């Protein structure tokens, strides 16, 4: 039986059992819920314990393992700026559009209050966080942690991420031998954390069952309807985001026609949708950019693999929408300052999402922690992540192709300008008449007199 099927069966079974308990009002059934609920808590804690080392090591390894810092300085730097701008737009789209859509989702206030009581500690932390929001000046000051270890202990993810990025960039300036030694240590920690997450995910059906039973026991059939609404919003906004890439390519894609872009993008999209993996679509993207779109060689050779590993356009929607859904589910109102924290943390955390099943849920937990929301809600979404993940991954691949076309056209234009300047410096068009020695000079070199 596939892991996805096991998760779905655990979710359906948990929702069914919880709904029966809620509908029957059985005292025995309600007494059973507190014994099942710790399964979900243990599952969530098992994932949480790897988050901080996994995020830090992923960022450091990603920065230090770049093939050439000079390449990063030009094409990589442009790619990073492009990624940040587009993921920020996607995050804002998720926040602006998902909030009103979830407001249409009606959850019984009594059931919502009961649900909040089951996570009283996390709820109190979220409420205190909302009341104790710092001023803008204090928020900016706190971005640079005086003590990164304390930030890790406090779960302050945004300062910790900034420290990890700074440390990774500084490490690229260290002597190569020492840099590689430190890099291997971080890679080992990263691999170990991913292995722990894999072990925890093996027990995911039990954890999902332990989360679903108490939820349905408090919300009844409303829980299934709420999860269906969440899936619908993710699918809707992911599809809208993919559709918006086409006019962007038409506007900024230079000589690439919209028809050629659509034709080249379709095979990678099909691979991503069916395989739920950007890496599975990488060969198709390399072929499309090299043979179909005929972009400069540095695009299929460097940019496309870089985007596949680090650029997740779908994460802008895939992380903000679940955050707003969990906030709505737990009855927590996020003020504008916390929404801004969600947006910023989502953009940064999108670069460190591990490439494992359930990786998006793992990557979402730091955003929940930064917003002060109960992380227990993340486990509920893991079992229904198949359909949202198909659309998020397809959005990621579509974003990769958009970046390849737009940045590739700029590389091509700059290459043409460079060639023209080279010819001008050499006195115009190259003279291809035979030299005195009978040889033909290479292009761009005039004949010797």
């Amino acid at each position: 039986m596939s892991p996805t099927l096991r998760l779905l069966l655990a979710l359906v079974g948990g929702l069914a059992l919880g709904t029966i308990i809620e509908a029957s009002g059985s005292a025995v059934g309600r007494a059973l819920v507190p014994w099942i609920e710790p399964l979900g808590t243990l599952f969530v804690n098992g994932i949480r314990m790897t988050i901080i080392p996994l995020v830090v090591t992923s960022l450091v390894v990603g920065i230090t393992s770049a093939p050439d810092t000079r390449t990063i300085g030009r094409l990589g730097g442009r790619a990073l700026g492009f990624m940040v701008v587009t993921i920020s737009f996607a995050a804002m789209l998720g926040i602006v559009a998902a909030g009103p859509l979830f407001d249409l989702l009606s959850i019984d206030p009594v059931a919502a209050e009961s649900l909040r009581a089951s996570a009283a500690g996390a709820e109190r932390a979220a409420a205190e966080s909302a009341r104790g929001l710092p001023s803008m000046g204090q928020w900016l000051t706190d971005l640079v942690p005086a003590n990164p270890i304390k930030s890790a202990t406090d779960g302050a993810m945004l300062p910790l991420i900034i420290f990890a990025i700074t440390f990774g960039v500084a490490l690229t300036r260290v002597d190569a031998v020492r840099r590689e030694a430190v890099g291997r240590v971080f890679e080992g920690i990263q691999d170990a954390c991913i292995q722990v997450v894999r072990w925890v995910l093996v027990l995911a059906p039990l954890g999902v069952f332990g989360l679903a039973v108490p939820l349905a026991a408090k919300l009844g059939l409303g829980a299934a309807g709420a999860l269906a609404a969440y899936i619908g919003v993710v699918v809707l906004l992911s599809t809208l985001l993919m559709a918006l890439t086409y006019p962007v390519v038409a506007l900024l894609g230079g000589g690439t026609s919209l028809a050629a872009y659509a034709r080249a993008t379709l095979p990678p999209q099909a691979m991503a949708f069916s395989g739920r993996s950007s890496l599975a679509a990488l060969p198709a993207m390399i072929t499309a950019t090299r043979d179909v779109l005929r972009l400069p060689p540095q695009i299929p050779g460097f940019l496309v693999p870089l985007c596949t590993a680090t650029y997740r356009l779908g994460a802008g929607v895939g992380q903000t929408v679940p955050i707003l859904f969990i906030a709505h589910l737990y009855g927590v109102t996020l003020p504008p300052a916390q929404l801004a924290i969600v947006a910023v943390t989502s953009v940064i955390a999108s670069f460190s999402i591990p490439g494992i099943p359930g990786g998006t849920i793992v990557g979402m937990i730091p955003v929940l922690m930064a917003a002060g929301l109960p992380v227990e809600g993340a486990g509920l979404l893991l079992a229904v992540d198949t359909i949202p993940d198909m659309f998020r991954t397809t959005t990621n691949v579509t974003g990769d192709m958009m970046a390849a076309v737009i940045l590739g056209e700029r590389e091509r234009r700059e290459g043409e300008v460079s060639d023209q300047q080279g010819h001008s410096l050499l006195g115009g068009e190259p003279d291809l008449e035979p030299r005195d020695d009978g040889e033909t000079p290479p292009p761009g070199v005039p004949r010797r007199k």
Side-chain angles (χ1 to χ4, degrees):
M1 185 185 300
S2 69
T4 299
L5 183 56
R6 287 199 298 268
L7 286 174
L8 288 175
L9 290 177
L11 176 66
V12 172
L15 291 176
L17 179 58
T19 301
I20 293 172
I21 292 173
E22 190 273 339
S24 65
S26 169
V28 175
R30 293 194 177 278
L32 186 64
V33 171
W35 291 91
I36 298 176
E37 194 168 5
L39 295 175
T41 304
L42 289 172
F43 169 64
V44 173
N45 288 346
I47 293 180
R48 285 187 66 178
M49 71 179 179
T50 65
I51 290 303
I52 288 176
L54 184 58
V55 168
V56 172
T57 55
S58 296
L59 288 171
V60 173
V61 170
I63 293 171
T64 58
S65 61
D68 185 356
T69 55
R70 289 175 298 180
T71 303
I72 291 179
R74 192 197 59 192
L75 181 57
R78 290 173 182 168
L80 178 61
F82 183 87
M83 294 174 192
V84 171
V85 170
T86 52
I87 296 174
S88 298
F89 172 80
M92 293 306 300
L93 174 65
I95 289 174
V96 171
L101 291 173
F102 286 138
D103 287 340
L104 300 176
L105 178 63
S106 177
I107 299 178
D108 180 61
V110 176
E113 180 63 31
S114 177
L115 177 63
R116 292 196 297 271
S118 68
E123 167 59 20
R124 283 195 299 270
E128 291 172 4
S129 176
R131 288 194 299 269
L133 287 173
S135 64
M136 178 57 68
Q138 184 63 43
W139 182 79
L140 290 173
T141 302
D142 292 342
L143 288 179
V144 180
N147 186 346
I149 296 177
K150 185 177 185 300
S151 297
T153 303
D154 296 340
M157 297 304 300
L158 193 54
L160 193 62
I161 289 172
I162 291 176
F163 166 76
I165 293 174
T166 305
F167 184 85
V169 172
L171 200 56
T172 63
R173 303 297 189 267
V174 175
D175 175 75
V177 175
R178 296 181 179 180
R179 179 176 67 247
E180 291 172 2
V182 176
R184 284 195 295 270
V185 172
F186 276 87
E187 288 177 1
I189 298 173
Q190 181 190 39
D191 292 344
C193 290
I194 291 176
Q195 184 58 55
V196 172
V197 172
R198 288 195 179 104
W199 288 341
V200 173
L201 291 177
V202 170
L203 304 175
L206 288 176
V208 168
F209 183 80
L211 291 167
V213 170
L215 174 68
K218 294 175 177 67
L219 297 183
L221 291 175
L227 291 173
Y230 157 73
I231 294 173
V233 172
V234 172
V235 170
L236 175 64
L237 294 184
S238 297
T239 303
L240 175 61
L241 190 58
M242 282 188 283
L244 290 175
T245 67
Y246 291 85
V248 172
V249 168
L251 182 64
L252 303 176
T256 301
S257 69
L258 197 55
Y261 169 72
R263 184 171 60 253
T265 303
L266 186 58
Q269 286 175 329
M271 290 292 297
F273 191 82
S274 60
R276 295 171 55 197
S277 170
S278 296
L279 290 175
L282 178 58
M285 285 192 286
I286 292 176
T287 300
T289 53
R290 183 189 59 204
D291 301 334
V292 179
L293 298 176
R294 299 186 182 279
L295 296 174
Q298 60 266 36
I299 300 303
F302 170 70
L303 181 64
V304 170
L306 175 68
C307 288
T308 303
T310 59
Y311 180 35
R312 297 173 178 86
L313 180 63
V317 168
Q319 291 192 331
T320 54
V321 172
I323 298 299
L324 294 177
F325 173 75
I326 291 172
H328 185 78
L329 191 64
Y330 281 85
V332 178
T333 300
L334 297 177
Q338 274 186 302
L339 290 175
I341 291 174
V342 168
V344 172
T345 311
S346 296
V347 172
I348 297 177
S350 70
F351 292 96
S352 60
I353 294 176
I356 58 174
T360 299
I361 300 301
V362 173
M364 185 182 70
I365 293 176
V367 188
L368 283 168
M369 295 168 64
L373 287 171
V375 299
E376 287 80 1
L380 296 171
L381 305 182
L382 182 61
V384 295
D385 196 50
T386 300
I387 295 176
D389 191 37
M390 293 167 71
F391 282 85
R392 281 195 308 265
T393 306
T394 307
T395 304
N396 291 342
V397 168
T398 306
D400 294 344
M401 292 295 295
M402 174 180 66
V405 170
I406 293 175
L407 297 178
E409 285 298 326
R410 181 165 182 174
E411 289 288 308
R412 179 182 296 171
R413 289 196 302 270
E414 290 186 353
E416 292 173 353
V417 170
S418 178
D419 289 343
Q420 292 173 0
Q421 291 174 344
H423 293 164
S424 176
L425 290 174
L426 292 169
E429 293 297 322
D431 185 352
L432 298 181
E433 295 180 8
R435 301 189 190 188
D436 294 339
D437 56 10
E439 296 180 356
T440 300
V445 178
R447 180 176 61 86
R448 291 187 299 186
K449 302 296 184 183

